[in-house]
């Protein structure tokens, strides 16, 4: 999830979350003596299409063999959102669920039978059947609203151990813990710093990591729901940490900053210290253990990077007309899905619809 939206909603949205269709046109007639322009080669590794407005995070269900895409729809004069069910190979639409709330972050349970989407602007989370795309349950979190009537945004959601951890965008931020079985609020992890942004589980340390807008990584014990440590870059610079990925084999935690730091920081999980800094704007990040690769979406640069996870060298990159946002690695580990965001106008409308692309990794 990853960047956000309308004067007020644009600000809330920007704090909460963060991503092609080929068209042919008739070229003007050329003079006989003019040489023909060389055709731009087609990248056969890409499958791409325009899907709709407000695309954010994705979830793959092995049980349904389907790719789900959460959509907030437009932020101008449009209520509610959409959940798209796509063929994971062709990206053909196989089903559409219209929801009364806007959808942003996603997480899926271990069996892949249900997935969860955050309704960020309404401070809620929904449970969705992975076979049908039907919304099964919804939990609207209790809590104070701001002076304009907005609740603390529900940004990222993590499924772990029959619990759901939902990062809340507030100052101070906090994490809502939901019992997956009863779908009720179970606990609240308080004092999590300004804006809880990313959240993942580490099988290496058996801890949950949460990032915040104050440049902290919170180390949380899932058994006690207590914050045990707070890591920072320790270099005196300001950071607004967003998303994370982990290489548990080497104990490295990759953390992006697309706002203040404009970099990806690599933390040593054994010491909590930064061991590498990768310069450049960075939004979403994924680690692929099978291929020993890192993928980074660069919304500002309009690129997706494929890096060697040992040397950090760029092995490949893809440039887009729209802004890359969320990333998802396919179940075969040889496929990368990307949502691509159209740019916003000043009135919170967009300059076109969002797109989704499937990259066959080489």
């Amino acid at each position: 999830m990853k960047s956000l939206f309308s004067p007020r909603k644009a600000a809330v949205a920007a704090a909460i979350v963060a991503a092609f269709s080929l068209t042919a046109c008739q070229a003007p007639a050329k003079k006989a003596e003019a040489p023909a322009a060389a055709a731009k080669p087609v990248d056969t590794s890409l499958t791409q299409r325009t899907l709709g407005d407000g695309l954010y995070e994705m979830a793959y269900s092995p049980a349904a063999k389907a790719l789900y895409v959460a959509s907030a729809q437009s932020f101008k004069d449009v209520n509610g959102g959409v959940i798209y069910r796509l063929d994971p190979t062709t990206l053909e639409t196989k089903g559409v669920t219209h929801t009364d709330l806007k959808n942003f972050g996603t997480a899926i349970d271990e069996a892949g039978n249900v997935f969860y989407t955050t309704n960020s602007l309404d401070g809620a989370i929904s449970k969705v059947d992975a076979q049908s795309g039907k919304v099964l349950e919804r939990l609207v979190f209790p809590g104070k609203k701001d002076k304009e009537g907005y609740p603390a945004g529900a940004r990222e959601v993590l499924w772990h151990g029959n619990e759901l951890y939902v990062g809340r965008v507030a100052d101070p931020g906090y994490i809502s813990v939901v019992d997956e079985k009863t779908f009720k609020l179970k606990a609240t992890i308080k004092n999590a710093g300004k804006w809880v942004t990313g959240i993942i589980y580490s099988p290496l340390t058996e801890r949950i990591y949460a990032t915040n807008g104050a440049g902290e990584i919170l180390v949380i014990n899932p058994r006690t729901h207590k914050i045990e440590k707070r890591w920072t870059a320790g270099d005196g610079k300001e950071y607004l940490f967003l998303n994370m990925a982990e290489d548990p084999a080497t104990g490295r935690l990759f953390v992006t900053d697309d706002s203040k730091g404009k970099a990806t920081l690599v933390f040593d999980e054994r010491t909590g210290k930064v061991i590498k800094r990768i310069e450049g704007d960075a939004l979403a990040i994924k680690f692929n253990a099978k291929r020993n690769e890192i993928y980074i979406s660069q919304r500002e640069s309009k690129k997706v990077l494929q890096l060697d996870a040992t040397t950090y060298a760029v092995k490949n990159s893809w440039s887009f007309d729209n802004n890359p946002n969320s990333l998802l690695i396919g179940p075969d580990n040889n496929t990368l899905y990307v949502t691509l965001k159209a740019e916003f106008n000043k009135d919170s409308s967009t300059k076109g619809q969002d797109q989704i692309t499937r990259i066959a990794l080489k």
Side-chain angles (χ1 to χ4, degrees):
M1 281 246 75
K2 288 164 186 183
S3 96
L4 296 163
F5 317 87
S6 85
R8 164 61 181 165
K9 282 192 177 180
V12 175
I16 297 179
V17 265
F20 302 97
S21 42
L22 302 175
T23 57
C25 58
Q26 182 67 42
K30 299 179 183 292
K31 294 182 179 179
E33 66 272 18
K40 183 178 180 180
V42 175
D43 188 342
T44 56
S45 68
L46 299 182
T47 302
Q48 47 201 18
R49 63 169 293 203
T50 298
L51 185 58
D53 295 313
L55 304 184
Y56 284 94
E57 294 194 343
M58 300 162 282
Y60 178 83
S61 169
K65 295 181 180 179
L67 176 69
Y68 281 93
V69 185
S71 165
Q73 288 293 85
S74 173
F75 294 98
K76 181 178 173 59
D77 303 326
V78 176
N79 294 311
V82 166
I83 298 171
Y84 294 98
R85 184 176 188 270
L86 306 182
D87 182 294
T89 301
T90 66
L91 302 183
E92 178 185 357
T93 299
K94 294 297 184 178
V96 176
T97 301
H98 294 273
T99 60
D100 57 327
L101 300 183
K102 297 182 179 298
N103 310 293
F104 294 88
T106 62
I108 194 160
D109 73 349
E110 191 172 39
N113 293 319
V114 296
F115 70 92
Y116 304 89
T117 181
T118 54
N119 310 117
S120 299
L121 301 184
D122 295 276
I125 183 172
S126 299
K127 177 190 287 189
V128 184
D129 180 82
Q131 293 289 347
S132 65
K134 180 181 178 180
V135 176
L136 301 174
E137 292 183 86
R138 175 177 293 150
L139 172 61
V140 178
F141 292 109
K144 295 181 180 180
K145 296 184 179 181
D146 63 20
K147 60 183 180 181
E148 296 182 16
Y150 290 93
R155 189 181 187 269
E156 290 290 290
V157 54
L158 167 72
W159 179 91
H160 170 67
N162 298 319
E163 292 181 331
L164 299 166
Y165 293 79
V166 182
R168 309 301 299 278
V169 180
D171 188 11
Y174 56 98
I175 297 170
S176 298
V177 184
V178 178
D179 185 305
E180 181 197 29
K181 302 302 182 183
T182 64
F183 212 56
K184 293 181 179 180
L185 183 64
K186 181 178 181 178
T188 301
I189 302 172
K190 300 179 179 179
N191 300 315
K194 183 180 180 180
W195 303 342
V196 177
T197 48
I199 186 164
I200 66 170
Y201 173 74
S202 167
L204 173 65
T205 63
E206 297 183 340
R207 294 296 185 268
I208 288 170
Y209 299 130
T211 48
N212 66 30
E216 293 179 315
I217 298 169
L218 311 178
V219 183
I220 301 167
N221 188 326
R223 291 180 290 276
T224 63
H225 300 142
K226 300 295 184 183
I227 299 173
E228 297 180 331
K229 300 176 183 178
R230 295 174 185 262
W231 297 338
T232 64
D235 57 8
K237 298 179 181 179
E238 284 191 87
Y239 291 94
L240 197 168
F241 289 151
L242 279 178
N243 300 297
M244 294 173 285
E246 183 200 26
D247 176 9
T250 62
R252 291 177 299 165
L253 183 68
F254 311 103
V255 185
T256 65
D257 183 332
D258 201 49
S259 177
K260 295 181 177 180
K262 295 290 184 185
T264 300
L265 301 186
V266 184
F267 283 79
D268 183 334
E269 296 176 69
R270 293 160 294 191
T271 65
K273 304 297 184 182
V274 175
I275 57 175
K276 178 69 177 181
R277 180 187 176 96
I278 306 171
E279 299 292 346
D281 59 298
L283 188 62
I285 187 164
K286 297 293 180 183
F287 171 73
N288 189 329
K290 179 180 179 181
R291 298 175 58 95
N292 191 41
E293 292 176 342
I294 301 166
Y295 313 110
I296 299 173
S297 65
Q298 294 186 302
R299 181 160 178 157
E300 183 178 312
S301 300
K302 297 186 177 182
K303 291 182 178 181
V304 171
L305 304 181
Q306 178 184 23
L307 283 68
D308 183 290
T310 300
T311 66
Y312 306 106
V314 177
K315 297 174 63 175
N316 201 355
S317 67
W318 297 270
S319 297
F320 300 98
D321 294 329
N322 282 352
N323 308 102
N325 201 73
S326 301
L327 301 174
L328 178 70
I329 298 173
D332 63 357
N333 291 296
N334 293 317
T335 305
L336 183 67
Y337 298 98
V338 187
T339 54
L340 299 145
K341 306 290 297 175
E343 294 184 3
F344 283 95
N345 296 310
K346 291 182 179 180
D347 65 353
S348 298
S349 64
T350 57
K351 297 180 180 179
Q353 290 190 313
D354 293 350
Q355 300 162 320
I356 185 167
T357 188
R358 177 186 185 274
I359 301 175
L361 300 168
K362 298 178 181 179

